[in-house]
Amino acid sequence: MSTDPLVVGRVVGDVVDHFSPSVRMSVTYNSNKHVYNGHELFPCAVTTKPRVEVHGGDMRSFFTLVMTDPDVPGPSDPYLREHLHWLVTDIPGTTDATFGKEIVGYEMPRPNIGIHRFVFLLFKQKRRQTVMKGPLSRDNFNTRMFAQENDLGLPVAALFFNAQRETAARRR
């Protein structure tokens, strides 16, 4: 039985095929909220785009970051899977996503029904400007198809957090 949180959390399977991470990625909201696989974050804590850092790249490598929600409209019947929340390409291997080219701007998570997974996937590009075409819509996004169409292969790193709709009682 796997203890890999990406397998346990069904990110591998629902969003991407099994892969071996080759770089490390860190995702931090508001300079102090770190994303750890499977941990819950409140939507009010993720309203602005996070700092995404690549650890293990070099000056000659470029990466594409995809942030997606595979649980739309709800995890029990995700028939609108996936919803694209953010897409950044040409991220230099020695910096963070703010130095990349934002193809689709950051959209804060707004889960309505149930607990949603918000997945960050990092792909290594074959060269700069590999990703030429962005998606036509945030809805019905398909990470596998996007990676295939842009010759990105499997991800080199991934992280995900869970979030659910906040009620007034939960905010206390």
Side-chain angles (χ1 to χ4, degrees):
M1 185 137 157
S2 179
T3 56
D4 180 345
L6 296 169
V7 173
V8 175
R10 296 188 333 275
V11 169
V12 169
D14 287 353
V15 183
V16 293
D17 296 325
H18 191 76
F19 69 97
S20 298
S22 56
V23 298
R24 212 168 55 76
M25 167 176 59
S26 63
V27 179
T28 312
Y29 280 94
N30 306 321
S31 74
N32 64 355
K33 283 258 186 246
H34 296 279
V35 172
Y36 296 104
N37 279 323
H39 287 214
E40 184 170 356
L41 293 176
F42 292 113
C44 64
V46 294
T47 56
T48 56
K49 68 179 154 189
R51 179 176 171 91
V52 177
E53 294 177 276
V54 179
H55 309 276
D58 59 44
M59 304 241 255
R60 295 179 308 281
S61 51
F62 291 91
F63 296 90
T64 292
L65 174 75
V66 171
M67 179 187 176
T68 183
D69 174 358
D71 299 316
V72 182
S76 61
D77 185 18
Y79 65 90
L80 295 175
R81 168 179 297 165
E82 302 163 36
H83 184 81
L84 180 65
H85 280 268
W86 199 23
L87 177 59
V88 185
T89 67
D90 293 335
I91 302 165
T94 53
T95 60
D96 62 64
T98 54
F99 291 94
K101 181 175 158 196
E102 203 171 58
I103 305 290
V104 176
Y106 181 79
E107 180 182 271
M108 69 176 271
R110 285 189 204 89
N112 279 324
I113 311 161
I115 299 170
H116 287 236
R117 295 165 293 166
F118 293 91
V119 184
F120 295 91
L121 296 152
L122 193 67
F123 294 90
K124 186 170 184 183
Q125 297 173 200
K126 302 233 184 321
R127 62 195 170 284
R128 194 180 186 126
Q129 294 175 321
T130 303
V131 177
M132 293 320 233
K133 56 182 189 191
L136 301 172
S137 163
R138 288 181 187 267
D139 296 319
N140 297 302
F141 182 75
N142 185 310
T143 300
R144 283 184 183 94
M145 203 178 297
F146 173 78
Q148 192 178 347
E149 286 170 357
N150 289 286
D151 196 23
L152 293 170
L154 291 170
V156 293
L159 273 172
F160 79 102
F161 68 89
N162 295 317
Q164 57 187 309
R165 187 177 185 166
E166 287 178 78
T167 60
R170 290 196 61 198
R171 277 194 213 113
R172 270 191 238 129

